[in-house]
Amino acid sequence: MTLASATAPLRIGPYRVDPPVVLAPMAGITNVAFRKLCREYGSRDSIYVCEMITARAVVERNEKTLRMMAFDEGEHPRSMQLYGVDPATMAEAVRIIVGEGWADHIDTNWGCPVAKVTRKGGGAALPYKRRLFGEIISAAVKAAEPAGVPVTAKFRVGIDEDHITHLDAGRIAEDMGAAAVALHGRTAAQRYSGTADWDQIARLKETVRGIPVLGNGDIFSSEDALRMMAHTGCDGVVVGRGCLGRPWLFRELHAALRGEPVPEPPRLGEICRIVYRHACLLAEEMGEQRALRDLRKHMSWYFMGFPVGSELRRRLGVVSTLDELDGLLGELDPTVPFPADAEGPRGRQGSPGKVVLPEGWLDDPEDVSIPEGAELDHSGG
């Protein structure tokens, strides 16, 4: 691989992000343990975002949500993603967060395509309502400003091909005081299927000129990050599914974006050590029993493409103690090199589908009314 020149760091509010890499929030994935693991491989000056938090749950101080808002002692800036549909609720949640000193950076979520979110007008559905979107961003920015906490916005290309919103969303977010924007190059209808349209990231970069624009979608290697930045001119990258079972991707991104040689991918022995380290970090966070249950979903990602064997894969998928995990990992050959089959897409992909929206949602993009019941869910994200 030819060495690229070093990529310039970016600034999000007072924070220098170097190299310009952000770990995307992923439900059930980006907890304290996984973020710490990624930071251990990547730059401590990149940004690692926690799981999405519901604004209403913060206001109601929901116990489950408060547990999800935990950060490691050495984690800085502490980056939290917030979801909401009501400007007043979002503002109050931000006031609580900055007043309690719980986060240093707040990202707002406008990209979630999940039906339980979009049917209430949230996530990827909301930028279609231009005025309401602007009011929510403005409310969050004003609430965070006294504490010097930057607010950013992450969104998709649109609801579907007939309802494209990203250029308006970028302009509005910039006008309302957002410190940066990030675009996932898919519509909500695409979910995670097909390929991300990096041309749309380039269009957003041409439209939003005063704040950083980050690109998201189909970054599964350091080469992908370099190609995206060269193709779109974006200021940084947001990595989601590409690091599933692959926290060392941040080591490779760090090197590539600094213009340094990219390290060879790990052999199976190092991956086994990473899996065990992940398990120990989870156990510190949630206790051994819950930790091993949580780890099970990561197993297929960690060992993707490796000659593990169906029986051992099955046993790893039901592992219940650290000792048992240690024994199972000891059965693997540590000298096996990283397989070519493990490169490329990983994580959920699924099929495109119709986006579930509130009744009449598409009738008037200037309507600022909030769907009935939209703020009742306080599940904690």
Side-chain angles (χ1 to χ4, degrees):
M1 173 181 167
T2 303
L3 292 186
S5 56
T7 303
L10 62 87
R11 295 201 75 86
I12 294 181
Y15 304 113
R16 184 175 185 267
V17 186
D18 182 23
V21 175
V22 175
L23 167 64
M26 291 179 280
I29 303 293
T30 55
N31 49 30
V32 174
F34 189 73
R35 296 198 310 273
K36 184 169 184 175
L37 199 56
C38 292
R39 283 192 356 263
E40 288 176 352
Y41 281 94
S43 168
R44 300 185 76 83
D45 293 323
S46 292
I47 288 180
Y48 306 85
V49 189
C50 79
E51 299 177 71
M52 185 179 77
I53 302 298
T54 305
R56 169 59 62 184
V58 175
V59 173
E60 296 182 356
R61 297 187 182 249
N62 177 267
E63 185 178 338
K64 177 184 175 184
T65 296
L66 297 183
R67 288 197 302 269
M68 290 171 63
M69 291 163 64
F71 291 92
D72 183 63
E73 185 178 344
E75 195 167 354
H76 184 79
R78 296 163 300 163
S79 182
M80 181 181 298
Q81 192 183 67
L82 207 56
Y83 152 75
V85 296
D86 183 337
T89 304
M90 184 70 89
E92 181 60 19
V94 173
R95 278 193 289 269
I96 291 170
I97 290 165
V98 302
E100 298 281 359
W102 287 340
D104 307 304
H105 160 234
I106 293 174
D107 186 41
T108 53
N109 179 298
W110 316 107
C112 182
V114 175
K116 72 175 183 178
V117 171
T118 59
R119 71 160 46 96
K120 295 182 178 181
L126 203 136
Y128 182 77
K129 300 291 192 181
R130 294 187 290 258
R131 283 180 57 202
L132 180 58
F133 176 73
E135 288 181 7
I136 296 174
I137 296 291
S138 177
V141 168
K142 288 176 181 175
E145 196 169 26
V149 172
V151 173
T152 56
K154 182 173 183 284
F155 42 83
R156 285 184 175 237
V157 173
I159 292 174
D160 52 36
E161 290 184 2
D162 297 322
H163 302 91
I164 300 299
T165 59
H166 65 303
L167 300 183
D168 281 343
R171 282 190 289 259
I172 292 167
E174 182 177 14
D175 290 346
M176 293 299 108
V181 294
L183 177 65
H184 183 163
R186 286 180 171 86
T187 64
Q190 285 180 271
R191 297 172 186 155
Y192 299 91
S193 66
T195 57
D197 186 351
W198 291 359
D199 289 342
Q200 300 305 328
I201 299 170
R203 291 187 64 200
L204 181 65
K205 177 60 183 171
E206 292 168 356
T207 302
V208 176
R209 308 303 292 269
I211 58 176
V213 173
L214 291 88
N216 175 225
D218 295 351
I219 296 178
F220 299 107
S221 69
S222 57
E223 290 89 344
D224 291 337
L226 293 173
R227 286 193 305 105
M228 175 187 277
M229 295 188 74
H231 182 86
T232 68
C234 67
D235 302 291
V237 296
V238 180
V239 180
R241 294 175 299 148
C243 68
L244 294 175
R246 197 174 179 177
W248 63 88
L249 177 60
F250 289 92
R251 175 174 65 188
E252 299 171 3
L253 290 166
H254 187 173
L257 296 181
R258 290 271 180 87
E260 300 167 358
V262 175
E264 290 293 319
R267 291 180 176 270
L268 187 52
E270 183 181 348
I271 290 175
C272 289
R273 289 191 293 273
I274 294 168
V275 171
Y276 193 77
R277 170 72 172 152
H278 193 171
C280 291
L281 290 172
L282 285 169
E284 290 174 12
E285 180 182 346
M286 58 184 67
E288 184 173 348
Q289 188 175 33
R290 284 186 57 209
L292 272 295
R293 285 202 304 269
D294 189 85
L295 185 70
R296 291 171 187 171
K297 63 175 173 278
H298 295 266
M299 291 301 189
S300 62
W301 299 323
Y302 273 121
F303 297 114
M304 180 177 170
F306 279 99
V308 173
S310 57
E311 176 58 22
L312 186 51
R313 284 185 187 275
R314 184 195 67 77
R315 291 159 64 198
L316 285 166
V318 295
V319 65
S320 58
T321 69
L322 288 170
D323 285 345
E324 182 186 3
L325 176 64
D326 188 40
L328 293 174
L329 296 175
E331 296 182 25
L332 294 168
D333 179 356
T335 66
V336 175
F338 195 81
D341 289 351
E343 301 287 356
R346 52 184 55 219
R348 58 185 171 180
Q349 296 176 50
S351 307
K354 186 174 181 180
V355 182
V356 181
L357 300 168
E359 185 176 356
W361 188 251
L362 299 176
D363 294 348
D364 180 8
E366 302 302 322
D367 181 19
V368 296
S369 58
I370 299 161
E372 184 177 353
E375 284 291 314
L376 296 182
D377 182 10
H378 58 233
S379 67

